[in-house]
């Protein structure tokens, strides 16, 4: 399947592409990184809520990097709605597998 036939919301980015997109957004629109993360987390939580019934459970496995904060913020938004029971697993270590 050609990459241009994949719906945009299903495309994945490498960590370098994600960092570049974040940097461009921060510089071009003047949005600080904390606000950008909050916007992304709120959007992710809204997407999950729209796809899932209320009173669901979420299990977040967080490794290293900025995505840890993104996943935790998304979980916080869902927990704040009191409709999702949240479990977070933080993975620590020196392995490149995280």
């Amino acid at each position: 399947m050609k990459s241009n036939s994949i719906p945009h919301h299903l495309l994945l980015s490498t960590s370098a592409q994600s960092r570049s997109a974040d940097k461009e957004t921060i510089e071009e629109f003047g949005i600080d990184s904390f606000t950008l993360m909050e916007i992304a987390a709120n959007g992710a939580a809204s997407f999950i809520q729209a796809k899932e019934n209320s009173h669901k459970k979420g299990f977040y496995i967080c490794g290293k990097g900025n995505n840890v904060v993104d996943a935790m913020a998304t979980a916080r938004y869902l927990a704040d709605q009191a409709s999702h029971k949240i479990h977070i697993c933080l993975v620590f270590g020196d392995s490149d597998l995280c």
Side-chain angles (χ1 to χ4, degrees):
M1 181 185 300
K2 294 168 105 180
S3 64
N4 60 359
S5 65
I6 299 172
H8 186 272
H9 68 281
L10 297 178
L11 292 175
L12 298 178
S13 300
T14 65
S15 58
Q17 290 169 325
S18 294
R19 278 192 299 275
S20 177
D22 284 353
K23 183 177 185 250
E24 288 178 33
T25 302
I26 290 166
E27 291 174 357
E28 188 171 327
F29 296 102
I31 299 172
D32 63 275
S33 59
F34 177 80
T35 302
L36 187 61
M37 182 267 310
E38 285 292 318
I39 292 169
N42 190 8
S46 295
F47 178 82
I48 292 168
Q49 287 175 319
K51 295 288 183 185
E52 298 295 330
N53 297 327
S54 59
H55 306 295
K56 290 285 187 170
K57 296 178 183 178
F59 184 69
Y60 296 79
I61 301 174
C62 306
K64 63 183 181 180
N66 290 342
N67 287 337
V68 172
V69 181
D70 295 334
M72 292 179 75
T74 300
R76 176 177 40 84
Y77 275 103
L78 291 170
D80 284 348
Q81 298 300 319
S83 62
H84 289 78
K85 185 174 182 179
I86 304 301
H87 298 279
I88 298 174
C89 176
L90 298 174
V91 180
F92 296 96
D94 295 330
S95 173
D96 286 337
L97 298 175
C98 294

